[in-house]
Amino acid sequence: MSESATTAVAEPSRGTAPPADPHHARRWPILVVISLAQLMVVLDATIVNIALPTAQHELGFSVDGRQWVVTAYALAFGSLLLLGGRVSDLFGRKRAFLIGLAGFAAASAVGGAANGFEMLVIARAAQGVFGALLAPATLSLLTTTFTDAKERGRAFGIFGAIAGGGAAVGLLLGGVLTQYLDWRWCMFVNIIFAVLALIGGLVLLHHRRSAYRPKLDIPGTLTASSGLFAVVYGFSNAETHDWSATSVWGFLVAGAVLLAVFVALEARVPHPLLPLRVVLDRNRGGAYLAVFMLGIGMFGIFLFLTYYLQQNLGFSPIRSGLAFLPMVGTLMVSATVATSVLLPRFGPKPLVALGMLIAAVGLWWLSGLGVGSTYANGVLFPLMVTGIGIGLSMAPSMNVATAGVQAKDAGVASATVNTAQQIGGSIGTAMLSSVAANAATSFIAGKQPTPALMVEAAVHSYTTAFTWGAAIFVIGAVLCG
């Protein structure tokens, strides 16, 4: 990221939003509505994970089938995000926002009422489809509603905190709903979020017809969607198959080829799905890279720390969710301060790089966990440090990723942010799961298997994943800086 970003970010402060903007007077209530929608999309990535064992027992599907409940959502969401962003640009962000909310609520109702595995997987895929329409519309509404630099900083601080901490909130909420109500409420709760946001959207948002109405880029849509599908599918298979399996490397190679074709097409077609001017801007491109790297590393925290808390410290699902709240708190504070105070003064380059280094320190600290560690002496403080680092990186990255983009490209620029986070998360889950599994296997090789040894091997696998996560953040700091 270049130093010129400081002036690029500060430029909107020369004047507030134009009086003609119908959203300006309602911008803070609108922020509440779109934050609610964003929270629903983000926490849905983890809230279902807590409910899966109970759902599996009730509906009677296999362990292999359990993965598809998660993968179906990731495949639909990740592969259709760019299309969803362009649709909101072409046909109006209010329409895309409301349709996305209504569709997500309907799919959640079907999933909660599922009487079998197939019905649940179809509902999860439908959630992904409507989420791919909703997420870009949400971020682009934020981008076009807040144009004053100071107010934009506060708004993106809140939004970035939700993007970074929503997964942890999902773990807590999923534990509460599963333990005290029923696993189906992990789906039904989305209806409450969606209805509240839908009412707010109908009351507060104005439909603004886009003056830019080009033809939809069909070749770009097909190559981008199929390429992203292949990449997500390949990495999802890597969680349960060996990396040498054709279903892993074959889809990854196919995805890379299709995405390369997509880039070549976008440089030539008159109305590209993703105009290259959006990603070739140095600061914006660096911001997308930062979100991508954060997505990879963050899953090392949520996935393996959840395992450690529940399997080694004996925490219940609810207690495990509560254990993440200190990280959410420090993340929210650092995200808000970073975008409202530090970003206009220093620009994104030092903030994003420093934030990733701080997050790396937190993960490296977690890599020192042992069989005898406790939450107080081994987890709490490194978790808070990691939250500070993620907030310092995530919120400025999301701000810069959409700053200065033309209004006609706001949707697709927002979609690219979500795509980077989704693909990063898929890569992080698969790669770190593979690393952890290999570490556990190597630890017990040639030794007499005992219960104590298996516990040590499990902890070793988690700490290895934390070490790799720290290395990923360091690499991200160097690349983005």
Side-chain angles (χ1 to χ4, degrees):
M1 295 183 183
S2 68
E3 301 292 352
S4 62
T6 307
T7 55
V9 172
E11 189 174 0
S13 63
R14 293 174 185 172
T16 57
D21 181 359
H23 290 164
H24 182 66
R26 303 175 174 183
R27 59 198 181 281
W28 295 111
I30 288 174
L31 175 62
V32 174
V33 170
I34 60 182
S35 295
L36 194 62
Q38 175 69 6
L39 178 62
M40 180 184 72
V41 172
V42 174
L43 65 81
D44 205 68
T46 54
I47 190 173
V48 174
N49 292 357
I50 297 293
L52 271 179
T54 309
Q56 179 187 359
H57 176 74
E58 182 175 325
L59 300 180
F61 55 85
S62 66
V63 174
D64 290 340
R66 192 164 68 182
Q67 180 206 357
W68 280 103
V69 178
V70 177
T71 303
Y73 178 84
L75 286 173
F77 186 66
S79 60
L80 295 175
L81 273 166
L82 287 178
L83 176 60
R86 186 47 97 194
V87 166
S88 70
D89 283 334
L90 295 179
F91 301 106
R93 296 177 188 99
K94 178 180 178 178
R95 289 176 179 173
F97 182 77
L98 297 180
I99 292 171
L101 283 170
F104 204 98
S108 299
V110 171
N115 57 13
F117 172 69
E118 294 79 6
M119 187 174 175
L120 180 59
V121 170
I122 291 171
R124 288 288 288 163
Q127 281 184 316
V129 171
F130 288 104
L133 182 63
L134 176 61
T138 300
L139 184 52
S140 59
L141 279 168
L142 181 67
T143 301
T144 54
T145 299
F146 287 88
T147 53
D148 177 77
K150 189 174 182 180
E151 291 186 345
R152 180 184 171 92
R154 288 198 214 105
F156 269 88
I158 296 169
F159 197 84
I162 291 172
V169 175
L171 293 172
L172 172 60
L173 187 58
V176 171
L177 294 174
T178 302
Q179 185 165 329
Y180 291 111
L181 292 174
D182 186 80
W183 72 266
R184 297 179 184 276
W185 274 96
C186 291
M187 302 288 283
F188 288 145
V189 72
N190 291 322
I191 301 173
I192 300 173
F193 284 114
V195 168
L196 291 174
L198 193 65
I199 293 171
L202 286 169
V203 172
L204 297 172
L205 297 176
H206 289 266
H207 172 65
R208 288 187 279 184
R209 183 179 178 86
S210 175
Y212 177 69
R213 300 294 296 271
K215 295 180 180 179
L216 190 62
D217 174 18
I218 301 299
T221 299
L222 293 175
T223 52
S225 298
S226 56
L228 291 171
F229 180 95
V231 169
V232 175
Y233 186 76
F235 277 111
S236 296
N237 280 333
E239 296 180 54
T240 52
H241 297 73
D242 191 85
W243 285 91
S244 61
T246 307
S247 59
V248 177
W249 67 262
F251 275 95
L252 292 179
V253 170
V257 171
L258 285 166
L259 292 176
V261 172
F262 168 70
V263 172
L265 286 172
E266 299 308 274
R268 291 169 174 79
V269 296
H271 304 294
L273 176 70
L274 175 59
L276 295 185
R277 61 179 175 269
V278 173
V279 294
L280 292 180
D281 176 86
R282 181 173 176 177
N283 296 308
R284 200 174 298 123
Y288 293 142
L289 178 62
V291 172
F292 173 75
M293 299 298 291
L294 286 165
I296 296 177
M298 280 170 56
F299 277 78
I301 307 164
F302 296 123
L303 183 64
F304 297 101
L305 194 55
T306 300
Y307 289 160
Y308 180 79
L309 292 172
Q310 294 190 13
Q311 296 178 7
N312 294 88
L313 298 185
F315 282 21
S316 67
I318 294 177
R319 196 176 175 192
S320 298
L322 289 171
F324 281 99
L325 289 185
M327 189 197 82
V328 175
T330 57
L331 191 155
M332 293 184 70
V333 171
S334 68
T336 304
V337 172
T339 51
S340 61
V341 178
L342 302 178
L343 183 62
R345 184 174 300 177
F346 301 108
K349 183 175 181 176
L351 298 183
V352 173
L354 179 61
M356 285 193 179
L357 290 176
I358 293 174
V361 169
L363 281 183
W364 180 80
W365 195 350
L366 282 173
S367 71
L369 288 173
V371 175
S373 299
T374 65
Y375 178 77
N377 69 20
V379 176
L380 176 60
F381 294 110
L383 197 60
M384 293 174 70
V385 170
T386 305
I388 292 171
I390 291 176
L392 201 59
S393 292
M394 179 67 80
S397 295
M398 298 187 80
N399 189 328
V400 175
T402 54
V405 72
Q406 298 179 42
K408 63 182 180 182
D409 295 329
V412 74
S414 303
T416 307
V417 177
N418 286 282
T419 302
Q421 188 175 32
Q422 177 67 31
I423 300 300
S426 298
I427 292 174
T429 303
M431 183 177 68
L432 295 177
S433 295
S434 178
V435 165
N438 289 335
T441 302
S442 300
F443 188 86
I444 63 177
K447 300 176 183 176
Q448 181 67 31
T450 63
L453 179 66
M454 301 309 290
V455 170
E456 290 178 16
V459 173
H460 175 69
S461 71
Y462 308 151
T463 56
T464 302
F466 294 142
T467 301
W468 275 65
I472 289 166
F473 280 146
V474 170
I475 294 170
V478 173
L479 291 176
C480 296

